[in-house]
């Protein structure tokens, strides 16, 4: 009570003792103190007099039973640490935060926080309250049988099957409208759907079907997973998901746009998959950017539909490169060698052309095109949240066996995160089905998979 009274009546803390600001995020932050107008927060070492005050304040709080001291190492309060007090109605726990990532004292609210399990790798998991960059977070803990990170066709199909198998399933999805399927304007090669259906509409149906069978769909950004032990932990700013099986299904669209207009016209003429979208450009001019084997094969596929395929390469093609020479022999391929694309042009209807510049030239040239297929850096699997947790292939995809299981028991990976060359919706959906049946067997201790139907 003394600590609370002091915290509410004391003058504003020095800037060095305020929790650092974060980018806007759905996190539970300690109560922000008002900064001096027009003077942004600048971290610096706390004055010694303030540190003495903080030490006495912390000791009073410990004596009152409001705080508990949990020192992993070190000698208590140090320069750069800040004590964050929160009103009782706030969801966060008061905690002593270290301004650096090194070891220091930790102050946890007694009676409110909850420790989950024993130490793992020397680190204690604070489920009831955790801190990042000096910000206190109170995460809801949700237990389930299966947690799926990613809500694309692979994740939704997996959830559909696991939910039907009476496994409590949660999908954690960052954003349902930014995946490879969601940005596809028309999906015409998925069995059984109307050829005019958009990718987003198909994905909405997949998600709704999974939810109807009991899947818990959550919108959240996953920033870390823990794959050790029988329980798998998925951390988001608002909740910690604890499951017996973890499925990685975040896709492979991690490459940032490389050209002006690429992000603007993505799904409106800009594509990364000729197999998916090539048929929409029958008798039209298209551009293919890239010199790797994927670019050559995709350009070869486009020659069956497009009136002209403009192949843009930033290097010259030699006679020894036979498979590239085969592409150049096609009558409707126009090669722009030693040339780079500088921008993608368009209007409300979509892509209308591109601008290119030959090496050594100071001028740009405009090429009319209705579609632009980019294969410069490839599609990068989105794996930043699980680096070091599972095994990866040389190409960056998660390594799995025939049952979509990784090298970690209970952890599966499906869809484009595997970096398979067959990046199709139907392939991603089949991955989800295979993984779900393998999970059902894994969790229930069966020797063989159980099919969803039985023929008499």
């Amino acid at each position: 009570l003394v600590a609370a009274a002091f915290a509410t009546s004391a003058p504003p803390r020095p800037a060095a003792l305020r929790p650092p600001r974060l980018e806007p995020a759905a996190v539970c932050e300690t109560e922000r103190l008002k900064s001096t107008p027009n003077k942004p927060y600048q971290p610096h070492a706390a004055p010694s007099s303030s540190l003495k005050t903080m030490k006495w304040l912390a000791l009073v709080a410990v004596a009152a039973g409001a705080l508990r001291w949990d020192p992993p190492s070190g000698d208590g309060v140090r320069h750069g640490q800040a004590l964050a007090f929160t009103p009782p109605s706030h969801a966060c726990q008061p905690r002593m935060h270290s301004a650096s990532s090194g070891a220091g004292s930790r102050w946890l609210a007694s009676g409110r926080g909850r420790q989950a399990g024993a130490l793992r790798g020397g680190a204690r998991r604070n489920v009831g309250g955790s801190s990042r960059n000096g910000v206190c977070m109170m995460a809801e803990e949700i237990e389930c049988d299966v947690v799926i990170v990613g809500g694309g066709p692979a994740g939704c199909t997996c959830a559909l099957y696991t939910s039907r198998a009476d496994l409590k399933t949660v999908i954690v999805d960052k954003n349902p409208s930014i995946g490879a399927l969601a940005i596809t304007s028309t999906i015409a090669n998925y069995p059984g759907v109307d050829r005019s259906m958009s990718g987003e509409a198909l994905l909405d149906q997949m998600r709704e079907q999974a939810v109807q069978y009991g899947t818990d769909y959550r919108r959240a950004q996953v920033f870390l997973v823990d794959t050790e032990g029988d329980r798998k932990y998925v951390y988001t700013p608002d909740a910690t998901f604890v499951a017996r099986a973890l499925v990685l299904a975040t896709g492979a669209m991690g490459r940032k746009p490389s050209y002006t207009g690429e992000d603007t016209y993505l799904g409106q003429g800009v594509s990364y998959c000729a197999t998916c979208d090539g048929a929409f450009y029958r008798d039209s001019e298209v551009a293919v950017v890239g010199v790797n084997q994927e670019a050559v094969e995709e350009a070869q596929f486009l020659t069956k539909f497009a009136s002209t395929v403009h192949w843009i390469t930033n290097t010259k093609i030699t006679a020894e490169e036979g498979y590239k020479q085969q592409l150049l022999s096609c009558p409707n391929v126009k090669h722009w060698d030693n040339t780079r694309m500088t921008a993608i042009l368009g209007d409300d209807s979509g892509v209308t052309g591109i601008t290119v510049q030959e090496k050594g030239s100071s001028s740009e040239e405009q090429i009319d095109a209705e579609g632009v297929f980019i294969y410069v850096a490839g599609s990068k699997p989105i794996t930043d949240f699980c680096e070091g947790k599972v095994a990866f292939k040389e190409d960056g995809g998660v390594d799995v066996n025939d049952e979509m299981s990784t090298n970690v028991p209970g952890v599966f990976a499906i869809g484009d995160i595997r970096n398979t060359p067959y990046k199709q919706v139907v392939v991603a959906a089949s991955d989800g089905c295979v993984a779900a049946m393998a999970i059902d067997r894994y969790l229930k201790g069966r020797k063989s998979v159980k099919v969803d139907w039985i023929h008499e």
Side-chain angles (χ1 to χ4, degrees):
L1 293 176
V2 173
F6 184 89
T8 55
S9 61
R13 290 172 285 166
L17 300 181
R18 296 178 193 147
R21 297 181 184 274
L22 289 184
E23 295 292 333
V27 296
C28 178
E29 300 188 22
T30 54
E31 186 180 30
R32 295 177 184 268
L33 297 179
K34 295 182 179 180
S35 301
T36 304
N38 303 321
K39 289 187 178 181
Y41 160 68
Q42 296 292 337
H44 55 79
S48 58
S49 59
S50 297
L51 287 176
K52 291 180 180 178
T53 301
M54 299 300 291
K55 286 183 178 180
W56 282 109
L57 178 58
L59 291 174
V60 171
V62 172
L67 296 178
R68 184 177 75 253
W69 186 29
D70 183 17
S73 64
D75 57 355
V77 182
R78 300 179 180 178
H79 284 276
Q81 291 183 330
L83 182 61
F85 283 97
T86 318
S89 60
H90 200 279
C92 292
Q93 307 297 325
R95 179 185 299 268
M96 179 70 76
H97 301 298
S98 174
S100 67
S101 58
S105 301
R106 291 183 299 172
W107 298 80
L108 307 176
S110 61
R112 293 181 63 188
R114 184 161 54 132
Q115 303 290 346
L119 301 181
R120 291 190 180 182
R124 186 189 301 267
R125 178 182 293 105
N126 299 307
V127 175
S130 60
S131 65
R132 289 186 300 153
N133 299 326
V135 175
C136 171
M137 298 189 303
M138 179 64 178
E140 174 191 10
E141 185 179 285
I142 300 172
E143 293 191 2
C144 56
D145 295 312
V146 184
V147 59
I148 301 171
V149 183
C156 287
T157 303
C158 184
L160 170 63
Y161 275 77
T162 55
S163 294
R164 282 175 57 83
D166 290 330
L167 297 174
K168 185 178 180 181
T169 302
V170 177
I171 291 179
V172 184
D173 192 14
K174 176 182 178 181
N175 191 328
S177 62
I178 61 174
L181 177 59
I183 65 173
T184 302
S185 57
T186 306
I187 181 74
N189 57 357
Y190 189 83
V193 304
D194 186 273
R195 61 185 300 175
S196 63
M197 176 179 287
S198 69
E200 185 175 14
L202 176 59
L203 184 58
D204 289 344
Q205 289 188 8
M206 290 181 171
R207 185 188 315 111
E208 181 60 30
Q209 188 177 12
V211 170
Q212 288 175 353
Y213 279 103
T215 298
D216 182 2
Y217 177 85
R218 302 284 184 115
R219 286 281 305 277
Q221 169 73 59
V222 174
F223 59 82
L224 181 68
V225 297
D226 187 349
T227 60
E228 296 181 23
D230 295 333
R231 299 279 178 172
K232 316 303 177 186
Y233 292 80
V234 175
Y235 298 97
T236 73
D238 291 332
T240 298
F241 299 90
V242 186
R244 295 191 292 155
L246 167 63
V247 182
L248 309 176
T250 47
M253 289 190 66
R255 185 181 68 82
K256 294 182 179 180
S258 305
Y259 303 99
T260 301
E262 180 178 350
D263 53 346
T264 303
Y265 297 106
L266 184 60
Q268 296 181 318
V270 173
S271 175
Y272 309 119
C273 179
T275 307
C276 308
D277 302 328
F280 299 122
Y281 297 96
R282 189 179 298 275
D283 299 325
S284 301
E285 293 189 44
V286 298
V288 175
V289 184
V291 72
N292 55 32
Q293 185 170 351
E294 182 184 20
V296 174
E297 292 175 351
E298 296 284 84
Q300 189 85 44
F301 180 84
L302 287 167
T303 59
K304 298 186 294 184
F305 304 100
S307 59
T308 303
V309 176
H310 297 276
W311 185 25
I312 317 296
T313 65
N314 57 6
T315 60
K316 291 185 177 293
I317 305 302
T318 64
E320 290 75 21
E321 299 174 290
Y323 69 100
K324 296 179 181 178
Q325 292 295 335
Q326 184 178 1
L327 174 61
L328 293 176
S329 66
C330 297
N332 58 341
V333 172
K334 184 175 182 180
H335 185 207
W336 301 73
D337 67 339
N338 218 28
T339 301
R340 66 183 184 91
M341 182 173 69
T342 57
I344 300 172
L345 310 176
D347 54 27
D348 292 342
S349 65
V351 170
T352 58
I354 62 174
T355 57
V356 297
Q357 184 176 22
E358 186 178 4
K359 286 185 178 180
S361 174
S362 59
S363 60
E364 295 183 346
E365 186 172 350
Q366 182 172 329
I367 301 173
D368 292 335
E370 294 182 24
V372 182
F373 296 82
I374 302 174
Y375 305 98
V376 175
S379 54
K380 178 184 176 183
I382 303 172
T383 59
D384 55 317
F385 65 97
C386 61
E387 294 290 348
K389 305 297 184 181
V390 295
F392 291 87
K393 301 182 293 183
E394 291 183 0
D395 60 10
V398 178
D399 193 16
V400 298
N401 61 17
D402 291 342
E403 292 187 340
M404 304 298 149
S405 178
T406 69
N407 64 314
V408 180
V411 181
F412 301 78
I414 55 178
D416 289 355
I417 196 174
R418 301 194 296 116
N419 210 16
T420 170
Y422 309 106
K423 294 179 175 65
Q424 299 293 301
V425 181
V426 68
V427 174
S430 68
D431 281 2
C433 171
V434 171
M437 299 177 78
I439 290 170
D440 182 60
R441 183 180 70 168
Y442 169 77
L443 295 181
K444 297 179 180 178
R446 294 195 182 99
K447 293 183 179 180
S448 58
V449 297
K450 182 181 178 180
V451 297
D452 204 26
W453 67 90
I454 298 177
H455 294 288
E456 297 292 345

